Amino acid sequence: MENEIPEQVMNNELVPMDETQFIDSEMQLDIIDTQLDNTEAPPNNSEAQPTRRRKKKSIVWEHFTIETVGAGCRRACCKQCKQSFAYSTGSKVAGTSHLKRHIAKGTCPVVLRNQEKNELTPFSAPSKMGTYTDTTPKRRYRTANVPYLTFDTDRCRHEIARMIIMHDYPLHMVEHPGFVTFVQNLQPRFDMVSFNTVQGDCVATYLREKQSIQRVIEGMPGRICLTLDLWTSCRTTGYVFVTGQFVDSDWKLHKKLLNVIMEPYPDSDTAFSHSIAACLSDWGMDGKLFSVTINQPLSDPAIDNLRGILSVKNPLLLNGHLLVGNCLARSLSGIVEDALTYAKGIVKKVRDSVKYVKTSESREEKFLELKQQLQVPSSKSLSIDDQTQWNTTYEMLLAASELKEVFSCMDTSDPDYKNTPTGEDWKQIETFCTYLKPLFDTANLLTTATTQTTNTFFHEAWKIQLELARAATNEDPFVSTLTKSMQEKFDTYWKSSCFILATAVVMDPRFKMKLVEFSFSKIYGEEAESYVKIVDEGIHELFREYVAHPFPPTPASYAEEANGAIMKAEDSQGIGISSNGLGLTDFDVYIMETTSQLSKTELDQYLEESLLPRVHEFDVIGWWKLNSRKYPTLSKMARDILSIPVCTVPAASVFDTVRKEMDSYRCSLRPETVEALICAKDWLQSENVEMPAPVVKIEAPI
């Protein structure tokens, strides 16, 4: 038979469907129904058989009847509401699709009332994906008589809120005529929400996500480190982004955006201290703060104000020397900006040359032909830089310098190409790229998806410090002038962060104090010993503070209860202690005192042990987890030190040369709404994504 239908379809059995055959519209169902409606007996043969029409199989006909209104004209009449619809046998224009819509999508008033009474129609299905009964990703199945899902208004509102949060859409989009019309055509039964309603839904989503973050923070066994990134705005107010970094009870490193706090006076000395205090109070973290990393250098009064406020509820370890650190990304960007300003003449020449080639398809083709003729081995391609991202300028200069031979020959084949860089210009560009490379490589580490532990950056920082210090004394005036300003700026960062970075690398069992001694000998020469001593004494003092003030603190009542339990156990066994003090308890105290005097501390034992092999991939936090029983106190100290962040900005902003600014639309919203939208987006993006263990890839010349 020409229009024969598979037996499985005729019996309403499951029909396997390919991924490309997944039915979002009713076209395929309409074709099947039309075929079923018009299946007739084969043509008469020599033995004339009586013509017999098969019974219509589509479930549409359980709700409609066919009425003949004229010669060759038939209409379908709804049994529920008695409305009449066009119907033509075999026509895709007036088949059964519109009849299904009438029943299944709520335009029939009688069916709609039944659905409101929770009476499922043959066209409705459970709210979950009950339509599909196979979970294999390559194949899906449908039942021929249950093609639709029930409509859930609350779910739609929830998804609209998530959509706005995830994609930074304006809240007012729910009132835009185009969006409202789109939703009404998509689902007429959905009552479009207002601005106030969707604002409430977004805040509700934020509060739900905040509860799960709160549980993780409450179970945090150690201290937390904060980063503060100040954004400007067109309204002269500032927004401080407060991010927390910590290691949880499973020894996994977390990085979460905690607050976005509007500061009316962002330039004041109290702006950052107010934001930190507000964050600690909001999340119940008083007494748990370990360090703060800020995206800009603070004045001495601002630092004193910060330490004074935080010392009230947060014990400052090492008298606050670990409290405030500078952002590595912002420091590197500031150094590169100064370098680009100094070399702006030759940089502009290269940029104009690249622009000349890239803005014309014909010129670019000629450039590539010339490159092939000259057999230039470079695999790099030209691109015009984005001057708000300094890495694009570096990559543009690097690619152009490798293709300098092609540029040098262009003026002979193209008379319109002028102002080509000279040989001396190209030499200076190569020198310029040489000193930008270590900064670029270090900044690249900050853009990885995995949050790096603090020890990673000691090796990067001391190499930059050493190279710039050497270059500043170079006999070449271009090199010395270029790098002198760079060295002075990086020296400011190095002095403020050197102790924190050195302490972190000591907690790496592959390096310990050995890398500190080696690098300081290169940087400071004969004065290295005094700087090594500062780091060594600082680490020992910090360890003593961890021994004296364990975190979380152990209540004295616990010790008393434990001692009482031991005494009761001894009494129950008849091992009483005589009143003259000659029992075994005094002997035990003597053993503890003499043993403690002779034994070494955990820190000394750790430092004296041999270094681990220098593998390129090493999970330092995982190592401390495995050795937490061997070093119970030192592992707690290492956990806090290794979670100190060196960067305050997200990966996408590491190379920014301009400060972030809050857009005018968000400035018009309530500060609480802005915080909810931005924080919820950060949490939803990392939802159900387990952060991999930070793997340190590092090479050291020892």
Side-chain angles (χ1 to χ4, degrees):
M1 185 182 299
E2 183 180 349
N3 293 325
E4 184 175 356
I5 305 301
E7 184 179 351
Q8 295 94 327
V9 176
M10 300 293 295
N11 296 330
N12 268 349
E13 294 178 0
L14 295 179
V15 181
M17 299 179 65
D18 189 90
E19 197 70 62
T20 58
Q21 295 173 317
F22 179 58
I23 298 179
D24 287 328
S25 67
E26 292 133 346
M27 180 60 71
Q28 296 185 33
L29 288 177
D30 189 27
I31 295 172
I32 292 174
D33 292 335
T34 302
Q35 291 171 335
L36 288 170
D37 294 343
N38 300 307
T39 303
E40 299 179 357
N44 294 339
N45 52 23
S46 56
E47 299 177 9
Q49 297 290 336
T51 301
R52 179 171 59 88
R53 296 179 63 87
R54 290 190 181 184
K55 182 180 179 181
K56 296 181 183 297
K57 295 295 184 179
S58 175
I59 56 174
V60 167
W61 305 117
E62 296 179 11
H63 300 271
F64 288 89
T65 59
I66 297 296
E67 296 180 351
T68 301
V69 296
C73 180
R74 296 190 298 172
R75 295 184 67 84
C77 181
C78 177
K79 296 179 182 179
Q80 304 291 336
C81 64
K82 306 305 180 183
Q83 292 188 51
S84 179
F85 298 87
Y87 177 72
S88 298
T89 303
S91 172
K92 295 181 181 179
V93 178
T96 57
S97 296
H98 62 303
L99 306 183
K100 294 185 185 73
R101 285 194 292 269
H102 176 70
I103 297 296
K105 297 193 175 181
T107 55
C108 178
V110 179
V111 174
L112 182 59
R113 286 194 297 271
N114 291 338
Q115 289 178 344
E116 291 173 351
K117 296 176 183 178
N118 294 325
E119 297 178 3
L120 293 178
T121 72
F123 288 91
S124 60
S127 58
K128 294 184 178 180
M129 292 293 289
T131 299
Y132 303 105
T133 57
D134 186 281
T135 57
T136 306
K138 296 294 185 181
R139 297 174 65 82
R140 299 186 181 182
Y141 293 82
R142 67 170 176 81
T143 52
N145 63 339
V146 189
Y148 297 104
L149 304 177
T150 55
F151 173 66
D152 188 340
T153 300
D154 293 337
R155 182 66 182 175
C156 289
R157 285 179 50 182
H158 174 69
E159 291 302 329
I160 287 178
R162 285 175 60 94
M163 175 189 70
I164 288 174
I165 291 171
M166 290 294 293
H167 302 290
D168 297 326
Y169 294 143
L171 293 171
H172 285 86
M173 73 175 294
V174 296
E175 296 178 348
H176 293 171
F179 185 70
V180 172
T181 302
F182 168 73
V183 173
Q184 286 177 345
N185 281 279
L186 193 66
Q187 177 50 265
R189 294 173 57 193
F190 179 65
D191 293 329
M192 197 61 204
V193 294
S194 64
F195 166 81
N196 289 332
T197 302
V198 77
Q199 179 178 236
D201 290 344
C202 290
V203 172
T205 301
Y206 157 77
L207 293 175
R208 282 194 300 270
E209 296 295 326
K210 186 176 182 179
Q211 289 179 353
S212 61
I213 305 295
Q214 182 75 60
R215 286 192 293 269
V216 176
I217 291 178
E218 288 174 353
M220 179 180 61
R223 294 173 170 85
I224 192 168
C225 303
L226 300 180
T227 68
L228 280 75
D229 188 27
L230 177 63
W231 287 29
T232 60
S233 74
C234 58
R235 300 191 176 189
T236 69
T237 57
Y239 290 82
V240 178
F241 286 59
V242 185
T243 303
Q245 193 160 301
F246 59 93
V247 176
D248 67 11
S249 56
D250 293 327
W251 289 84
K252 293 179 181 178
L253 185 62
H254 290 264
K255 185 176 182 179
K256 300 290 184 183
L257 180 62
L258 301 178
N259 294 96
V260 178
I261 301 171
M262 188 192 76
E263 290 294 340
Y265 307 100
D267 297 327
S268 66
D269 292 337
T270 60
F272 287 110
S273 58
H274 169 261
S275 297
I276 296 172
C279 174
L280 296 177
S281 175
D282 182 29
W283 292 90
M285 295 187 300
D286 286 329
K288 296 183 178 182
L289 181 64
F290 185 67
S291 75
V292 178
T293 306
I294 301 177
N295 72 330
Q296 61 187 42
L298 295 182
S299 62
D300 291 338
I303 294 177
D304 294 339
N305 179 274
L306 184 60
R307 286 176 176 160
I309 290 178
L310 296 179
S311 62
V312 176
K313 295 183 179 180
N314 293 273
L316 300 182
L317 299 174
L318 286 182
N319 198 28
H321 288 297
L322 292 175
L323 181 61
V324 181
N326 291 331
C327 175
L328 177 58
R330 295 276 63 81
S331 298
L332 295 177
S333 294
I335 293 170
V336 175
E337 283 185 76
D338 284 354
L340 289 172
T341 300
Y342 172 74
K344 63 181 180 181
I346 56 174
V347 171
K348 185 178 185 302
K349 280 187 178 182
V350 174
R351 182 181 292 120
D352 291 343
S353 296
V354 173
K355 190 185 300 183
Y356 179 82
V357 173
K358 295 295 293 183
T359 53
S360 169
E361 187 174 346
S362 60
R363 288 196 292 263
E364 187 171 8
E365 290 177 358
K366 290 180 181 178
F367 185 87
L368 294 176
E369 290 175 2
L370 187 58
K371 174 189 173 183
Q372 190 172 10
Q373 292 173 7
L374 296 172
Q375 297 182 349
V376 178
S378 176
S379 59
K380 294 187 180 297
S381 57
L382 296 176
S383 61
I384 304 174
D385 65 328
D386 175 3
Q387 296 183 51
T388 65
Q389 297 275 317
W390 68 264
N391 61 312
T392 63
T393 303
Y394 166 75
E395 290 168 344
M396 177 191 71
L397 296 175
L398 191 63
S401 65
E402 291 190 11
L403 298 168
K404 61 183 179 182
E405 295 179 31
V406 185
F407 281 107
S408 299
C409 295
M410 271 187 63
D411 54 357
T412 59
S413 59
D414 187 350
D416 294 330
Y417 176 59
K418 300 176 182 178
N419 198 27
T420 177
T422 64
E424 183 64 23
D425 291 336
W426 287 119
K427 182 180 178 181
Q428 291 182 352
I429 287 295
E430 290 176 354
T431 302
F432 188 72
C433 290
T434 299
Y435 291 104
L436 284 190
K437 186 179 186 305
L439 279 67
F440 174 79
D441 292 341
T442 301
N444 249 343
L445 288 175
L446 299 171
T447 63
T448 57
T450 303
T451 303
Q452 300 288 347
T453 47
T454 320
N455 58 304
T456 310
F457 297 95
F458 176 79
H459 189 60
E460 301 298 322
W462 82 261
K463 284 194 302 182
I464 295 175
Q465 175 71 6
L466 179 62
E467 288 298 321
L468 292 179
R470 288 176 175 175
T473 59
N474 194 292
E475 294 181 357
D476 187 334
F478 175 79
V479 174
S480 58
T481 307
L482 169 69
T483 56
K484 184 177 181 181
S485 174
M486 296 172 66
Q487 193 270 335
E488 289 175 353
K489 280 209 165 188
F490 192 81
D491 191 55
T492 301
Y493 172 81
W494 174 254
K495 288 179 179 178
S496 66
S497 304
C498 174
F499 179 75
I500 293 176
L501 297 177
T503 304
V505 86
V506 171
M507 294 296 102
D508 189 330
R510 298 171 298 165
F511 302 109
K512 302 182 181 179
M513 284 295 298
K514 295 298 183 181
L515 183 56
V516 176
E517 295 167 0
F518 175 83
S519 58
F520 280 14
S521 66
K522 296 288 186 180
I523 296 173
Y524 300 112
E526 296 178 355
E527 300 178 359
E529 186 176 350
S530 61
Y531 288 99
V532 172
K533 185 179 179 181
I534 292 174
V535 175
D536 184 67
E537 291 179 349
I539 291 175
H540 280 81
E541 178 61 29
L542 182 61
F543 177 74
R544 286 191 289 271
E545 291 189 23
Y546 268 80
V547 173
H549 305 287
F551 186 87
T554 304
S557 59
Y558 290 173
E560 294 174 0
E561 291 176 4
N563 292 334
I566 294 174
M567 294 294 290
K568 288 180 181 179
E570 291 176 345
D571 291 342
S572 65
Q573 297 175 8
I575 312 178
I577 304 301
S578 60
S579 58
N580 59 6
L582 299 179
L584 295 178
T585 303
D586 292 340
F587 176 71
D588 291 337
V589 172
Y590 168 75
I591 292 296
M592 292 176 63
E593 290 178 349
T594 55
T595 303
S596 63
Q597 292 173 359
L598 296 175
S599 65
K600 297 178 180 179
T601 65
E602 292 177 29
L603 177 59
D604 290 331
Q605 181 184 347
Y606 164 76
L607 293 176
E608 291 179 6
E609 289 182 349
S610 301
L611 301 179
L612 292 184
R614 291 196 308 274
V615 294
H616 291 283
E617 295 186 2
F618 181 70
D619 180 6
V620 64
I621 292 182
W623 187 89
W624 281 105
K625 177 183 179 181
L626 294 175
N627 290 272
S628 58
R629 290 184 179 274
K630 183 179 180 180
Y631 305 111
T633 302
L634 188 61
S635 62
K636 294 177 182 178
M637 184 175 110
R639 177 181 56 203
D640 293 338
I641 291 173
L642 292 171
S643 61
I644 296 176
V646 299
C647 180
T648 66
V649 298
S653 303
V654 166
F655 294 101
D656 285 356
T657 58
V658 293
R659 176 173 288 187
K660 288 292 186 180
E661 180 176 330
M662 189 69 73
D663 60 82
S664 58
Y665 176 77
R666 285 189 171 175
C667 289
S668 66
L669 301 175
R670 295 184 305 170
E672 296 83 2
T673 303
V674 175
E675 181 178 62
L677 293 172
I678 297 176
C679 289
K681 179 182 179 181
D682 179 76
W683 302 338
L684 290 174
Q685 284 179 335
S686 60
E687 192 177 58
N688 300 323
V689 177
E690 186 174 338
M691 181 176 291
V695 176
V696 179
K697 296 183 180 181
I698 186 171
E699 297 181 7
I702 62 173

